[in-house]
Amino acid sequence: MLKKLAALGMLAAAFALAPSAPAGAEDGYTAKIPTVSHIQVITAEPGKPIVLEVSASADYPTPPAGDIAVTVSSSGTAARGARALVSKPVFTTTVHFTDRPIRVTGPRLPKGAYLARQDFSPDNTALFLPSSDSTRFRIGAADGGEPGGALPNTGGPDMAWLLLGGGLVAVGAGGVGFGRRRGTAAA
């Protein structure tokens, strides 16, 4: 009991000695507002230039303005390894964003997997934080690159994981059934 009273007394003393004012403007700290970047692939078809749409937003009445660096790189598939391989950029550009989404037209690219990335650098760095976004896309996929087409990468190495998981579930269910049957026979 005496230890509890001593701990309570030390806690009261700590609150009495600690500063009661929260961190504020007098400390030179101002909160920066996080921004959210958005990148979307509009057109990615063989023989046609790629078209990307980039923008940025923030939870603030005035939208952030700044430069958006757009990079498109050739990309490997994640199914071939734990890490996706990204090579040197095949297309880079920088646009200035003010309020509306910007369409960026890139080059014609050969069939393959690509990674599109945008990095937003706000003009008002005292108020807004930078952000980035990326998306993967394919040119010349089985569905012709059109949204709403056939599902890409159905089967292949991922099917092996599905079959392995189903087999493990079946073995587990068999083990539980065998254990229950054996327990009722012994009783």
Side-chain angles (χ1 to χ4, degrees):
M1 182 68 172
L2 186 59
K3 289 181 181 179
K4 290 181 181 177
L5 286 176
L8 185 61
M10 291 184 70
L11 186 61
F15 276 118
L17 296 176
S20 61
E26 66 272 359
D27 296 334
Y29 174 77
T30 55
K32 292 185 179 184
I33 300 168
T35 58
V36 179
S37 295
H38 309 281
I39 187 166
Q40 181 180 5
V41 179
I42 305 298
T43 304
E45 297 178 22
K48 294 186 179 180
I50 60 168
V51 178
L52 307 170
E53 189 172 85
V54 295
S55 64
S57 63
D59 191 14
Y60 194 70
T62 307
D67 289 332
I68 296 178
V70 179
T71 307
V72 176
S73 306
S74 178
S75 171
T77 61
R80 299 272 176 186
R83 289 178 271 156
L85 303 173
V86 178
S87 64
K88 74 176 198 170
V90 293
F91 171 70
T92 60
T93 188
T94 301
V95 295
H96 189 76
F97 173 77
T98 52
D99 189 14
R100 304 247 183 246
I102 300 171
R103 290 216 172 177
V104 176
T105 303
R108 291 182 178 103
L109 297 173
K111 292 181 179 182
Y114 294 92
L115 174 72
R117 179 179 172 85
Q118 83 162 35
D119 294 304
F120 175 68
S121 301
D123 290 339
N124 187 354
T125 56
L127 183 60
F128 295 109
L129 291 171
S131 62
S132 63
D133 187 23
S134 63
T135 185
R136 295 189 184 281
F137 66 98
R138 290 191 61 80
I139 295 180
D143 63 349
E146 296 174 354
L151 293 174
N153 294 330
T154 311
D158 296 333
M159 183 62 77
W161 290 111
L162 178 65
L163 294 175
L164 178 64
L168 288 173
V169 168
V171 168
V176 168
F178 178 74
R180 285 185 180 174
R181 195 172 336 137
R182 187 174 179 198
T184 57

